[in-house]
Amino acid sequence: MTDKKPRAFSGIQPSGKIHIGNYTGALQPWVEAQSEVDGIYCVVDLHALTATDIGSGKSVGERSREVAALYLACGLDPGASTIFLQSEVWTHPYLSWVLETQVPLGWLSRMTQFKSKSKEADSVPTGLLTYPVLQAADILLYDADIVPVGEDQKQHIEIARDIAQRFNSTYGTAFVLPQPLIGTHGSRIMGLDEPTAKMSKSRALVNQGHSIGIVDDPEAISRAIRRAVTDSGTRIDVQNAGAGVRNLLNIYKSFSGASDRALAARFDGRGYGVLKNSLAELLVDTLAPIRNAYQRILAERSYLDEVLNSGRERALRISTGKVARVMEILGLRG
Ligand code: TYM
């Protein structure tokens, strides 16, 4: 009998400002599942080349190291999880190309993210269209059983599954079909300035009041919460809160683990200011140690280098085996 742990794979793009939604939707669940899964966490820097803000001051390489440091600062243990940079593992763009030769164009042009992003752009890079195929390659290279992500990634995991299924049924089984793992709360945090739109890394660069960065200082956190949009009333009704208060309650719930009952007992009938003060305090208390650890890790270059080198070696070991299998199945080796 084997007691092999299920494999989890996920990643964050080193673009924009990494925020509390990325924490509750991704980093926090990764850390919580750490002892139950074989976790592989990638900094998806090749994906970030499609982001429009990549030129804003820092190089993609610098941002990638920052995101890797954040993985560690949030509690990923390199002894238990594998952490690496996507661009250092050649199998990712390689398998992506192979899969692109198989994926119908219509599957990609119908993707919600492609449609909305290409509407905003004057000229649409091909990488925006093929983005989900690289994401599928990321996941399928490692036989990931589960992909812990926020709600906005659901369609991307579904297409990865469809791509795997199509390939397996055409050529013979090569890939495990991955399942998205999306939490019941914290998987869709909304903007503080506009609680009907998802909190996004790029919006934060345009409007400071939009999000809270995981490594923001306590003053910036408190200011952002103070200015957050609430509802038009004055008193909290946990069950029937509007979008603004619901978002604040949801953030509170994700960071505290409090049940709806506990939330109601604490906040029902009280003013919005009470919620804002408690939330600011909770966020500062949770994020301050992460910020300290982050600064320490970034300052100590050799430790991060070591983590990323050993992560890359393990990622290569696993994924080159998968590429060999795919080459064999496709008859690329005579
Ligand atoms: P990215 O970099 O946009 O986001 C990283 C993770 O954060 C989650 N997230 C949120 N969760 C809750 N509320 C929000 N407002 C919020 N905004 C973002 C995202 O769902 C994600 O889990 N395409 C991916 C990166 C990627 C990937 C992969 C993920 C590339 N390859 C393979 C998983 C597996 C992305 O752009 O995530």
Side-chain angles (χ1 to χ4, degrees), residues 26-41:
L27 288 156
Q28 191 184 31
W30 301 355
V31 173
E32 279 171 6
Q34 190 154 233
S35 60
E36 283 128 54
V37 299
D38 171 12
I40 303 187
Y41 300 106

Side-chain angles (χ1 to χ4, degrees), residues 9-13 15 19 21-22 24-26 30 44 47 86 113 131 134-135 138-139 147-153 156-157 186-190 198-201:
F9 182 98
S10 199
I12 295 180
Q13 286 191 72
S15 62
H19 54 65
N22 301 125
T24 60
W30 301 355
V44 288
H47 277 110
Q86 187 188 34
Q113 187 174 300
Y131 181 110
L134 179 59
Q135 181 160 350
D138 296 340
I139 298 165
V147 188
V149 285
E151 206 178 275
D152 62 336
Q153 292 301 310
H156 281 146
I157 316 308
S187 64
R188 190 171 170 79
I189 301 296
M190 311 306 270
K198 187 193 65 143
M199 187 176 281
S200 100
K201 283 191 246 140

